[in-house]
Amino acid sequence: MKKLMCSVLALLTVFTCVGCRSRRDPNANTGDDYEVNLHPDTNVTATLRVAVNNYTAELKIVDELGALFKKKYPNVTVKAEPFASGISQQYSSWYNAGDMPDILINNTFDMFTLSDKGILLNLDPYIKAEAADTESDFDLNDYYESYLKMGQENFDGAQYMIARSADRVVCHYNKAIFEAAGVNMDLVKNGWTWDDFFTVCETLRTWYDANEREDYYLLDPYFTWEAVYNPIFEAEGVQYFDADGNVTLDKGDATENALKFIKSMMDKRYAAPISVEQAGMEANKGCILFHSQASSNIATKLQPYYPGQAVEEFYDVVTMPVFEGNEKIGCGAAGYSVYSGSENRDLAWQFLKVLLSKDGQNVMADSGANYVPVRKDMADYKDPTNHWGKGFENCNMSAFTYNCGANGDPDWNCYTTFIAQQKPKQATNISNAITSLISSYCNGNSYDTVIKSCVNAIERYIRM
């Protein structure tokens, strides 16, 4: 999961044309009162169009999922519809041309606006029908609840998107540098605290300064990304809005404490100032990265600096640091939705079920980026039947699934529920205002100045 914040304002303006052509009236299927068929004719002839980002790995996923789908529906062609522009721009173009694909790659932010405008199919009738069908092998309990919620209206309502993988922010690190610096590796374990992290960073900073790396920073933090800052804010007790929707960021000390905590890592020269280039872990300069990217993406970029070495000699991963007693780790979701006007909605649902199957999840892992399965029963990365751990059996891949709510474990996953406290059209505006708050404070502006500007901006958006 990269930072997935598209232009929601653009979505609002482009999906308002009256009389736009579509294969089915979008307004007819925005509720949950339509009929479903869980058992489409296996000999049906159709073309199922899947909107997908124009990347090699993404196209491979759709192609191989299509091959799995054809085993049951041999006369259905699964056709990828690649696009290089943002979701808002491309979907508006298709919608206004009356040519929307059946299945849409999506993310939480865009899902809010698309579902609010009636573009996405409410999937609840299918989920309920599966639960009532004695022949069904689909069970919501097979999947991490927090990732399912990322595809729901207001995180607890109708299901408009199915998450395709467990996208969680983790702490990627350069193991070779950690060991060369003499880091106490007993501290670097799943569930470690921010105090542990600061101790490790102090050791690393000392080693960097003594080894002609004094101009390098340690950490690529992405502090202005909601998946990183929001767990810190929530753990510090920040309340974005009250029950009536009024802005409360400026009430009490929580927001200032969270900002001071973030800035302290820049003051200590662990992280680069926000106005400066990132530390560059992937270029073997920095040695820590907070992100949800697949391990294969990071290790592949580091490999040229460690020729001939096994991946576990120079790379590993651990959970994000947490505040003891108030443990929160950022997560998000990319997934697939069904267009509300699709004439192939029953087949589209069957495609989503293939995606969520064990074979489908292995297709995701084999695409070139070892995406973490959204299925709880595939968490064991050392099990050779679970492909996502292939090549990383000697790394700590459990960081991606540690305390995600499976098997009675606590669920530390933290998602941006604050965006659901206002109208969907304001999700990006509000998040951008908070991003500006963090950037401005870390760039040296006073708390009083930046919090006033942030609150005024959000209140202005709410009134729009």
Side-chain angles (χ1 to χ4, degrees):
M1 177 195 66
K2 294 182 178 179
K3 187 175 182 182
L4 295 172
M5 292 181 59
C6 299
S7 175
V8 174
L9 284 177
L11 283 167
L12 289 164
T13 57
V14 296
F15 291 120
T16 55
C17 65
V18 178
C20 292
R21 291 178 293 115
S22 64
R23 290 172 293 171
R24 187 191 293 259
D25 180 5
N27 295 321
N29 298 325
T30 57
D32 61 358
D33 57 350
Y34 61 88
E35 294 183 1
V36 304
N37 178 10
L38 296 182
H39 306 283
D41 182 356
T42 55
N43 293 314
V44 65
T45 298
T47 297
L48 199 59
R49 298 168 60 214
V50 183
V52 61
N53 300 105
N54 192 21
Y55 302 126
T56 300
E58 297 292 342
L59 293 169
K60 183 179 180 182
I61 288 170
V62 173
D63 183 59
E64 295 191 6
L65 286 175
L68 285 177
F69 192 77
K70 266 189 171 295
K71 291 181 179 180
K72 186 172 183 179
Y73 299 98
N75 298 320
V76 175
T77 299
V78 176
K79 180 184 178 183
E81 296 283 2
F83 62 93
S85 58
I87 283 179
S88 61
Q89 181 180 350
Q90 185 58 59
Y91 290 5
S92 67
S93 176
W94 277 328
Y95 186 85
N96 291 332
D99 194 34
M100 287 287 281
D102 303 286
I103 298 171
L104 309 171
I105 189 74
N106 211 346
N107 61 74
T108 300
F109 269 84
D110 284 322
M111 180 206 70
F112 277 148
T113 300
L114 290 167
S115 60
D116 187 57
K117 302 303 292 184
I119 305 303
L120 306 182
L121 185 69
N122 179 345
L123 299 173
D124 282 357
Y126 285 103
I127 295 171
K128 292 174 182 177
E130 294 283 358
D133 187 347
T134 57
E135 298 179 17
S136 175
D137 59 357
F138 180 82
D139 186 350
L140 283 182
N141 293 319
D142 290 338
Y143 312 99
Y144 294 109
E145 181 182 15
S146 48
Y147 296 105
L148 288 174
K149 284 184 174 293
M150 294 293 288
Q152 294 174 0
E153 182 181 24
N154 295 333
F155 298 104
D156 62 359
Q159 195 81 42
Y160 285 105
M161 179 182 74
I162 296 294
R164 64 181 192 172
S165 55
D167 296 336
R168 189 191 215 189
V169 180
V170 292
C171 179
H172 302 273
Y173 67 93
N174 186 315
K175 187 176 180 182
I177 290 179
F178 271 47
E179 292 181 343
V183 166
N184 179 359
M185 297 304 291
D186 289 339
L187 296 177
V188 187
K189 59 186 179 182
N190 292 339
W192 65 332
T193 66
W194 282 107
D195 287 340
D196 297 330
F197 177 78
F198 273 61
T199 298
V200 167
C201 284
E202 184 177 356
T203 299
L204 289 164
R205 184 71 268 170
T206 299
W207 183 82
Y208 265 59
D209 290 346
N211 287 272
E212 299 182 348
R213 297 173 75 93
E214 61 272 10
D215 292 334
Y216 293 165
Y217 294 94
L218 314 176
L219 169 65
D220 291 318
Y222 289 88
F223 282 135
T224 56
W225 179 23
E226 71 277 357
V228 174
Y229 74 70
N230 184 56
I232 295 173
F233 273 40
E234 289 199 12
E236 288 281 10
V238 172
Q239 296 288 329
Y240 297 88
F241 305 99
D242 63 20
D244 296 321
N246 300 307
V247 184
T248 53
L249 279 166
D250 56 343
K251 310 302 182 186
D253 299 327
T255 301
E256 184 174 13
N257 290 339
L259 292 173
K260 286 180 177 178
F261 179 80
I262 290 171
K263 189 173 184 296
S264 71
M265 285 178 255
M266 300 172 197
D267 294 339
K268 295 175 185 291
R269 296 171 53 237
Y270 300 160
I274 285 180
S275 58
V276 177
E277 184 180 354
Q278 291 274 359
M281 175 187 166
E282 295 173 353
N284 205 42
K285 296 178 180 179
C287 56
I288 306 170
L289 168 66
F290 294 163
H291 215 284
S292 59
Q293 286 191 51
S295 290
S296 57
N297 291 345
I298 310 302
T300 297
K301 293 173 182 175
L302 279 177
Q303 182 73 70
Y305 299 98
Y306 301 93
Q309 294 190 36
V311 64
E312 64 268 19
E313 296 182 67
F314 62 85
Y315 167 83
D316 212 339
V317 61
V318 67
T319 56
M320 276 288 290
V322 295
F323 292 95
E324 187 172 5
N326 201 2
E327 296 87 356
K328 295 178 182 293
I329 295 177
C331 69
Y336 293 99
S337 299
V338 177
Y339 170 48
S340 62
S342 171
E343 293 181 343
N344 297 314
R345 65 182 184 223
D346 292 328
L347 289 172
W349 173 253
Q350 295 302 317
F351 182 88
L352 294 184
K353 286 177 62 179
V354 170
L355 167 72
L356 292 173
S357 70
K358 288 188 176 183
D359 287 341
Q361 292 288 281
N362 278 335
V363 162
M364 295 282 296
D366 294 337
S367 67
N370 55 334
Y371 293 107
V372 182
V374 75
R375 296 182 64 101
K376 293 186 287 188
D377 58 0
M378 295 181 72
D380 184 0
Y381 62 95
K382 295 184 179 182
D383 182 341
T385 66
N386 299 333
H387 298 183
W388 72 283
K390 189 183 301 182
F392 291 85
E393 293 87 352
N394 296 320
C395 294
N396 177 37
M397 300 296 284
S398 59
F400 287 95
T401 58
Y402 181 82
N403 283 353
C404 276
N407 303 317
D409 292 336
D411 190 350
W412 288 1
N413 284 342
C414 171
Y415 28 92
T416 51
T417 54
F418 70 86
I419 66 173
Q421 293 180 264
Q422 299 295 336
K423 296 177 181 178
K425 69 178 183 178
Q426 300 302 353
T428 296
N429 285 334
I430 291 169
S431 189
N432 286 344
I434 298 169
T435 293
S436 180
L437 167 74
I438 297 168
S439 298
S440 296
Y441 182 80
C442 291
N443 284 334
N445 293 297
S446 72
Y447 175 73
D448 288 343
T449 298
V450 299
I451 193 64
K452 181 178 180 180
S453 176
C454 177
V455 170
N456 287 343
I458 294 175
E459 288 179 340
R460 185 169 63 254
Y461 297 140
I462 292 173
R463 291 193 298 269
M464 291 173 61

